[in-house]
Each structure stands twice: as C-alpha cells, then as structure tokens.
Amino acid sequence: MASSRHPHRDDCSLTMLLQIKREQKGWTIEQASIKTGIPVCYLENIENNTFRIFIGKAAVLEGYLRVYGNRLGIDYQTQKMLLDYARSILIPRKFVFQQGGNKKLGE
C-alpha cells in the first residue's frame, strides 16, 4: 500500500520493476527499444512513471506495457497492476462549458 507521504510510491515501484527486469537481462534502453519496437522516449517515460505523455493515447500505452512486460517476463498479475495504474492516470479529465471557454470540473 502506498504511504501517505508518497501516495504513488508503490506505483512507482511497479514501473521501476520494468527497469530492474531490463537491467537484469543486461539490456540498455536502446536494446529494449529494438527488441520491443517501442521508441526509446516512450520506454524512458514508462520506466520513469511519467505516463502523462500518453494522455489521449491510452491504447498505445496499454499496448506498450503489454509488449514490454511480456518481453521482460513480467507475470500477468504485475502487468495487470501496471495497466490499472496507467489507466488511473489517463482517465480523461471532464470539461464543462462555461462562458469564456472550457474549464475543468472543480476549478
């Protein structure tokens, strides 16, 4: 469970697991890119828990996580946790129309 001081610490650990597994295989990020067909910039963002680059591209992220997880030998349950976490970040923000333009709900 994530600590109250670091609410996403455990989730970060999930994405760090990808880097650890990659390094255990002796792969550089560039080699992982070649082996998976996933561009280096996306692998770096995934390993660094910066999924915001994938906003509006949830299906792309899910595909990348599955391919990367499979190539690294990540078990199904861990892959599912990664996908669930990624989805929680990429839930589309709802906008409401107000005079003067769009505003996020709650602003």
Side-chain angles (χ1 to χ4, degrees), residues 3-64:
S3 75
S4 59
R5 282 185 43 187
H6 302 288
H8 298 295
R9 190 187 77 211
D10 290 341
D11 299 322
C12 291
S13 297
L14 285 172
T15 56
M16 287 173 54
L17 174 65
L18 297 170
Q19 179 179 354
I20 291 165
K21 288 285 200 179
R22 174 180 56 79
E23 290 172 348
Q24 285 175 347
K25 288 187 170 288
W27 298 351
T28 65
I29 196 89
E30 292 80 10
Q31 289 170 320
S33 175
I34 292 166
K35 291 176 184 296
T36 62
I38 302 170
V40 169
C41 64
Y42 289 128
L43 289 177
E44 289 173 336
N45 279 280
I46 289 168
E47 287 186 0
N48 291 317
N49 198 41
T50 51
F51 294 139
R52 286 182 299 273
I53 191 172
F54 293 100
I55 290 177
K57 302 175 187 175
V60 172
L61 175 59
E62 288 183 20
Y64 285 170

Side-chain angles (χ1 to χ4, degrees), residues 63-99:
Y64 285 170
L65 285 172
R66 287 177 195 198
V67 168
Y68 201 27
N70 287 336
R71 290 291 284 155
L72 293 173
I74 304 287
D75 66 87
Y76 172 79
Q77 283 299 333
T78 303
Q79 284 190 43
K80 185 175 179 334
M81 287 189 301
L82 279 165
L83 288 168
D84 289 345
Y85 172 61
R87 286 180 189 125
S88 75
I89 290 175
L90 297 177
I91 293 172
R93 295 199 169 99
K94 296 185 181 196
F95 289 86
V96 293
F97 181 75
Q98 294 184 351
Q99 187 176 4

